[in-house]
C-alpha cells in the first residue's frame, strides 16, 4: 500500500475510534460492537447503492449505452417528464442486483436516516412496511426503531440477508440522541480516495473495528476475532487460490477475508473460490455474514448458527482448504456425541479437551488433495494424557502432518496460552497445487519451523508479525514443499523424517528438532571465558555482601532494629 493510502486509513481509524468511543458510555463493548458494525454495514450498502445509482444516471443519458433514454421521447433533456422518467427507472431493482449491488429501499438509505433521525425524537414518522412492497404503513417513534426498520426493509428486499442483520436497536438501553449522533458520525466517513474505492475503505473500517472491539472485550473478544497477522500467515502458506474453503469455527470470517485479499493480490478470481463456514454464536454468525456481504463474497454459512459437533451444517462437504482458530482446550464439548462418530478415525478425543476433536473434524471434511491449517494450544504437540498422544501418533503414522509452526507469545487479545499452527494434508505425493506450484514427493517428512523469536511489540501488550516475518516463514514452507532453495537452519527450521519423530516419542514441538541457533565465535576459548565470567560473578557476590552490611549499619544508626 502506498504511504498516502496508509496515512489516509490511519487518520480515518483514529477519527472514527476516538469519536465513536465517546458514545460507548452507556453500552458494554459487546453491545456497542453490534451497534456500530450494524450501522457501518447499513452505510456501506447505502453508499454502494448510491454509486450504482450515479452510474445508471449517466448511462440513461448516454446515447451510446444500451440503457439510454432518448429525451426526444419525452419533453426534452431539461423537461420534467424526462427527469421523472429517469427517476422512475432508477427505482428498478434489477439494475442493481445484476451487478451484485444490494437493493436498498427508500427508508433504508443513509440520506433518509440522517434526515429523519432528529425528527422521530420530537414527532412521529410513517413508513411503508415490508421494504419496497408498499401496502401498510407503520409509525416510527424512536431512532432505534428507525434503524431497525431500515435493516428489516433491506432483509425483506434481499433474501440472501434473511436473518443476518442484527435488528435490536429498539431494545438498546441508550439515549436516543446518542444513536442520532452515531448516525451523524458514521456519515462523515470519507469513502473516497484517489486510489482506494469505497469497498476497500469500508472493508478496512470494518476490520479495524473488529480488532478494536476484540481488545475492548478481552477474553470474549477472541471468540469472534483472530489477529490479522496469524490469519495472513495461514492463508499465505496454504494459498487458497481455487476450490472450496471451509472454516468450522469461523468467528467473524477473518480467514475468508484474507483469502479474498490473497486471491486479489495474485490476480485470481474470487469466483473461483466457494466459501463455507459454521459458527455457534448467533450474533457472531451475523457479523461474519455482514463481513462477507460488505465485500461482495458469496458464502454458505449453513441454514443457521449451530454447534459444529452436534449439528454439522455441511455434512457432505469435502473442502480443498480448511482453516480455523477454534477455542483452545475446550472442555465438555462432547455432550450428545457418539463414541463411534465417523470423524474420530484416529482416536476418540478426550471429553476434557476438544483440540483433537477440532483437528479430526477438519480432516473429515478435507478433500483427498486438500490442505488445512489449524491454530491450537502448544499442549497439543506433546500431551500424552487421555488418548491425545495416541491420536497424535496415529496422525503421524498415517503421514498426515506436513508442517508445525511454533508461534511467539502475546499474539492474541484474549489469551496468553502459547500457540502453534498445525498444517496437514492427505496427499504428500508429487503434484501441482491450485496456484500451479509443483510440489515434490514429501512422504515421510515433516517440516518444523520455530517462529517464537519473530515479530515485534506493536504496543505494551500485543506482538505482531512484520511483512518480512510472514515472508520468511511462508517462503521456507513453500521452498521445502518444492525442494527449491530449502536448507535446514539451526534454531529456525528443520525437515525431519519419520525415524526422528519416533526418537522423540512422536512429540511435535519444533524446538526439539530445529536445535539452537549457532552463536558467533568471539575468539575467546570456552574454558577461559568460563573462568573469567566465574571470577566476575564472585566479585559481584562479594560487593553485594558488602553493600548489605553497609545498609544494615545505616538503618541501625537511624534507630531501626533488624
Amino acid at each position: 500500500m502506498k504511504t498516502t493510502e496508509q496515512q489516509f486509513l490511519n487518520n480515518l481509524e483514529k477519527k472514527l475510534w476516538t469519536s465513536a468511543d465517546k458514545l460507548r458510555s452507556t453500552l458494554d463493548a459487546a453491545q456497542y460492537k453490534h451497534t456500530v458494525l450494524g450501522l457501518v454495514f447499513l452505510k456501506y450498502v447505502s453508499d454502494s447503492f448510491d454509486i450504482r445509482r450515479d452510474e445508471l444516471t449517466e448511462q440513461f443519458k448516454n446515447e451510446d449505452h444500451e440503457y439510454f433514454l432518448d429525451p426526444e421521447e419525452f419533453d426534452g433533456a431539461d423537461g420534467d417528464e424526462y427527469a421523472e422518467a429517469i427517476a422512475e427507472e432508477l427505482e428498478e431493482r434489477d439494475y442493481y442486483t445484476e451487478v451484485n449491488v444490494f437493493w436498498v429501499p427508500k427508508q433504508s438509505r443513509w440520506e433518509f436516516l440522517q434526515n429523519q433521525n432528529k425528527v422521530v425524537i420530537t414527532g412521529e414518522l410513517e413508513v411503508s412496511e415490508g421494504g419496497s412492497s408498499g401496502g401498510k404503513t407503520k409509525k416510527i417513534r424512536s431512532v432505534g426503531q428507525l434503524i431497525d426498520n431500515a435493516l428489516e426493509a433491506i432483509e425483506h428486499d434481499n433474501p440472501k440477508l434473511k436473518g443476518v442483520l442484527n435488528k435490536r436497536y429498539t431494545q438498546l438501553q441508550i439515549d436516543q440522541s446518542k444513536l442520532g449522533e452515531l448516525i451523524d458520525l458514521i456519515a462523515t466517513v470519507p469513502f473516497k480516495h484517489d486510489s482506494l474505492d469505497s469497498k476497500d475503505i469500508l472493508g478496512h473500517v470494518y476490520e479495524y473495528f473488529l480488532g478494536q472491539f476484540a481488545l475492548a472485550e478481552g477474553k470474549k473478544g477472541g471468540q469472534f476475532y483472530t489477529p490479522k497477522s496469524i490469519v495472513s500467515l495461514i492463508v499465505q502458506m496454504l494459498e487458497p487460490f481455487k476450490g472450496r474453503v471451509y472454516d468450522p469455527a469461523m468467528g467473524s470470517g477473518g480467514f475468508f477475508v484474507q483469502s479474498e485479499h490473497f486471491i486479489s493480490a495474485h490476480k485470481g478470481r474470487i469466483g473461483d473460490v466457494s466459501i463455507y463456514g459454521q459458527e455457534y454464536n448467533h450474533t457472531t454468525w451475523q457479523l461474519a455474514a455482514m463481513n462477507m456481504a460488505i465485500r461482495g463474497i458469496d458464502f454458505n454459512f449453513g441454514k443457521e448458527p449451530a454447534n459444529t459437533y452436534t449439528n454439522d451444517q455441511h455434512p457432505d462437504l469435502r473442502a480443498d482448504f480448511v482453516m480455523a482458530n477454534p477455542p483452545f482446550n475446550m472442555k465438555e464439548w462432547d455432550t450428545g456425541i457418539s463414541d463411534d462418530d465417523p470423524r474420530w478415525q484416529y482416536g476418540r478425543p478426550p471429553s476434557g479437551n476438544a483440540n483433537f476433536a477440532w483437528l479430526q473434524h477438519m480432516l473429515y471434511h478435507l478433500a483427498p488433495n486438500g490442505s488445512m491449517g489449524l491454530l491450537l494450544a502448544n499442549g497439543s504437540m506433546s500431551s500424552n494424557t487421555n488418548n491425545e498422544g495416541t491420536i497424535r501418533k496415529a496422525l503421524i503414522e498415517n503421514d498426515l502432518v506436513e508442517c508445525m509452526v511454533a508461534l511467539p507469545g502475546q499474539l492474541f487479545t484474549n489469551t496468553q496460552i502459547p500457540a502453534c499452527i498445525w498444517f496437514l494434508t492427505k496427499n504428500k505425493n508429487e503434484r501441482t497445487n491450485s496456484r500451479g506450484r509443483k510440489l515434490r514427493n514429501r512422504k515421510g517428512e515433516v517440516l518444523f519451523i520455530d517462529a517464537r523469536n519473530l515479530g515485534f511489540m506493536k504496543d505494551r501488550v500485543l506482538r505482531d508479525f512484520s511483512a518480512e516475518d510472514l515472508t520468511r516463514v511462508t517462503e521456507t514452507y513453500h521452498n521445502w514443499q518444492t525442494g527449491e532453495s530449502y536448507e535446514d537452519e539451526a534454531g529456525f527450521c528443520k525437515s525431519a523424517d519419520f525415524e526422528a519423530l519416533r526418537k522423540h516419542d512422536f512429540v511435535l514441538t519444533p524446538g526439539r528438532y530445529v536445535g539452537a541457533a549457532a552463536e558467533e565465535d568471539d575468539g575467546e576459548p570456552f574454558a577461559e571465558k568460563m573462568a573469567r565470567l566465574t571470577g566476575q560473578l564472585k566479585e559481584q557476590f562479594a560487593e553485594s555482601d558488602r553493600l548489605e552490611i553497609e545498609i544494615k549499619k545505616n538503618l541501625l544508626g537511624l534507630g531501626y532494629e533488624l
Side-chain angles (χ1 to χ4, degrees):
M1 187 175 291
K2 297 177 182 176
T3 304
T4 53
E5 294 173 347
Q6 189 61 60
Q7 187 62 47
F8 169 81
L9 294 174
N10 290 343
N11 292 338
L12 182 60
E13 290 173 359
K14 185 176 181 180
K15 173 186 177 182
L16 277 174
W17 186 255
T18 302
S19 302
D21 205 38
K22 294 177 182 177
L23 304 176
R24 192 162 56 91
S25 57
T26 57
L27 295 174
D28 64 32
Q31 284 182 303
Y32 190 62
K33 171 181 66 191
H34 296 290
T35 304
V36 172
L37 292 177
L39 284 172
V40 167
F41 173 80
L42 200 54
K43 180 68 162 63
Y44 169 73
V45 294
S46 184
D47 278 13
S48 297
F49 180 86
D50 289 343
I51 290 170
R52 176 58 177 163
R53 190 180 177 89
D54 291 341
E55 289 175 356
L56 288 168
T57 301
E58 293 299 318
Q59 291 169 2
F60 293 148
K61 297 177 180 180
N62 183 354
E63 61 182 11
D64 294 326
H65 199 277
E66 60 177 313
Y67 292 158
F68 173 60
L69 294 178
D70 190 346
E72 293 183 5
E73 296 180 12
F74 302 93
D75 57 355
D78 298 324
D80 292 340
E81 283 186 24
Y82 186 58
E84 288 174 7
I86 288 180
E88 186 176 338
E89 285 293 306
L90 288 172
E91 294 300 318
E92 286 294 327
R93 172 197 178 97
D94 291 346
Y95 285 129
Y96 302 87
T97 56
E98 69 182 4
V99 292
N100 203 28
V101 170
F102 288 108
W103 168 254
V104 182
K106 289 182 179 180
Q107 64 256 41
S108 304
R109 297 171 193 172
W110 198 262
E111 183 180 11
F112 181 84
L113 294 181
Q114 260 204 291
N115 291 339
Q116 301 300 330
N117 80 74
K118 306 294 189 299
V119 175
V120 296
I121 297 174
T122 57
E124 291 184 352
L125 171 72
E126 286 194 357
V127 298
S128 62
E129 289 187 314
S132 301
S133 60
K136 296 181 180 179
T137 62
K138 61 181 174 182
K139 291 183 177 180
I140 302 295
R141 295 183 172 88
S142 69
V143 180
Q145 191 181 0
L146 182 73
I147 299 169
D148 282 344
N149 179 76
L151 294 169
E152 185 178 330
I154 287 179
E155 272 198 1
H156 184 275
D157 281 5
N158 298 274
K160 184 191 290 188
L161 293 175
K162 185 178 180 181
V164 165
L165 305 182
N166 196 13
K167 305 177 292 294
R168 298 182 182 177
Y169 289 83
T170 308
Q171 302 170 24
L172 290 175
Q173 301 298 313
I174 185 173
D175 184 343
Q176 293 297 297
S177 64
K178 292 289 185 183
L179 280 179
E181 288 180 39
L182 193 53
I183 289 174
D184 291 338
L185 166 67
I186 294 175
T188 66
V189 177
F191 292 113
K192 289 185 178 180
H193 187 271
D194 292 342
S195 54
L196 292 171
D197 64 31
S198 59
K199 173 186 168 184
D200 292 333
I201 297 171
L202 212 323
H204 181 89
V205 168
Y206 198 89
E207 191 168 307
Y208 170 74
F209 269 133
L210 284 174
Q212 291 299 108
F213 287 127
L215 285 171
E217 287 189 66
K219 186 173 182 179
K220 288 184 179 179
Q223 295 175 1
F224 68 86
Y225 184 78
T226 303
K228 182 179 177 181
S229 60
I230 301 176
V231 176
S232 297
L233 177 61
I234 293 175
V235 168
Q236 289 178 28
M237 291 178 75
L238 289 183
E239 299 185 300
F241 204 62
K242 292 180 182 179
R244 299 169 296 270
V245 179
Y246 173 53
D247 182 347
M250 65 183 180
S252 54
F255 282 110
F256 304 136
V257 172
Q258 287 305 314
S259 295
E260 183 219 18
H261 291 338
F262 173 83
I263 293 166
S264 298
H266 293 84
K267 311 302 180 187
R269 295 192 314 117
I270 190 62
D272 289 339
V273 169
S274 302
I275 300 295
Y276 298 85
Q278 181 155 351
E279 172 59 41
Y280 178 70
N281 182 283
H282 184 266
T283 52
T284 305
W285 184 85
Q286 290 176 310
L287 278 181
M290 286 194 292
N291 209 358
M292 298 302 100
I294 276 178
R295 294 167 169 83
I297 302 174
D298 200 16
F299 60 91
N300 182 345
F301 291 165
K303 295 180 181 178
E304 59 189 354
N307 184 305
T308 301
Y309 296 121
T310 59
N311 190 5
D312 190 347
Q313 294 289 293
H314 309 287
D316 300 321
L317 174 66
R318 296 298 179 267
D320 302 287
F321 303 96
V322 185
M323 299 174 274
N325 172 26
F328 290 172
N329 306 323
M330 183 177 166
K331 303 181 187 304
E332 300 176 359
W333 58 274
D334 59 346
T335 302
I337 306 295
S338 172
D339 287 348
D340 58 359
D341 190 299
R343 290 173 290 185
W344 314 150
Q345 186 176 349
Y346 305 99
R348 210 300 187 175
S351 297
N353 195 316
N355 287 343
F356 284 100
W358 286 112
L359 191 152
Q360 291 192 84
H361 173 87
M362 292 169 67
L363 271 175
Y364 179 79
H365 283 288
L366 192 65
N369 287 326
S371 300
M372 60 177 266
L374 170 64
L375 271 162
L376 286 179
N378 274 359
S380 63
M381 298 188 290
S382 58
S383 173
N384 287 313
T385 58
N386 299 321
N387 209 37
E388 290 187 332
T390 302
I391 296 173
R392 187 172 56 252
K393 179 182 177 183
L395 295 171
I396 294 169
E397 289 179 333
N398 282 275
D399 210 10
L400 295 165
V401 182
E402 180 164 49
C403 178
M404 299 296 301
V405 179
L407 297 172
Q410 296 179 269
L411 286 174
F412 298 89
T413 59
N414 63 319
T415 181
Q416 294 302 313
I417 297 175
C420 61
I421 310 175
W422 291 63
F423 290 94
L424 295 92
T425 182
K426 290 184 176 179
N427 184 4
K428 289 185 181 178
N429 291 312
E430 182 179 340
R431 63 185 179 90
T432 302
N433 69 6
S434 66
R435 279 218 57 211
R437 195 185 300 278
K438 294 181 180 179
L439 309 182
R440 66 181 178 85
N441 184 338
R442 300 154 342 269
K443 297 181 72 172
E445 298 178 45
V446 176
L447 175 65
F448 292 91
I449 298 177
D450 191 342
R452 289 176 298 172
N453 294 322
L454 300 185
F456 64 97
M457 296 302 295
K458 65 178 183 179
D459 55 39
R460 290 181 298 175
V461 178
L462 288 175
R463 180 178 290 273
D464 202 356
F465 283 129
S466 67
E468 290 76 16
D469 294 329
L470 296 176
T471 298
R472 183 183 180 191
V473 175
T474 300
E475 287 187 350
T476 297
Y477 177 58
H478 292 160
N479 290 343
W480 175 81
Q481 285 184 310
T482 61
E484 299 174 3
S485 304
Y486 172 80
E487 289 184 5
D488 290 341
E489 181 181 336
F492 178 65
C493 63
K494 172 70 177 180
S495 181
D497 59 19
F498 183 79
E499 190 57 38
L501 272 61
R502 186 196 302 276
K503 287 180 181 178
H504 286 283
D505 296 321
F506 301 100
V507 169
L508 294 175
T509 307
R512 291 200 177 198
Y513 299 90
V514 303
E519 295 185 7
E520 291 185 13
D521 185 4
D522 58 5
E524 184 176 10
F526 178 77
E528 293 180 13
K529 181 182 287 187
M530 281 299 296
R532 177 175 59 79
L533 293 175
T534 302
Q536 288 180 357
L537 187 60
K538 287 181 179 179
E539 291 176 3
Q540 289 167 353
F541 281 151
E543 179 65 11
S544 175
D545 291 341
R546 187 188 69 76
L547 290 173
E548 184 179 357
I549 293 171
E550 284 294 319
I551 291 170
K552 287 181 178 180
K553 283 181 180 179
N554 291 336
L555 289 174
L556 288 171
L558 294 172
Y560 289 96
E561 294 185 8
L562 301 177

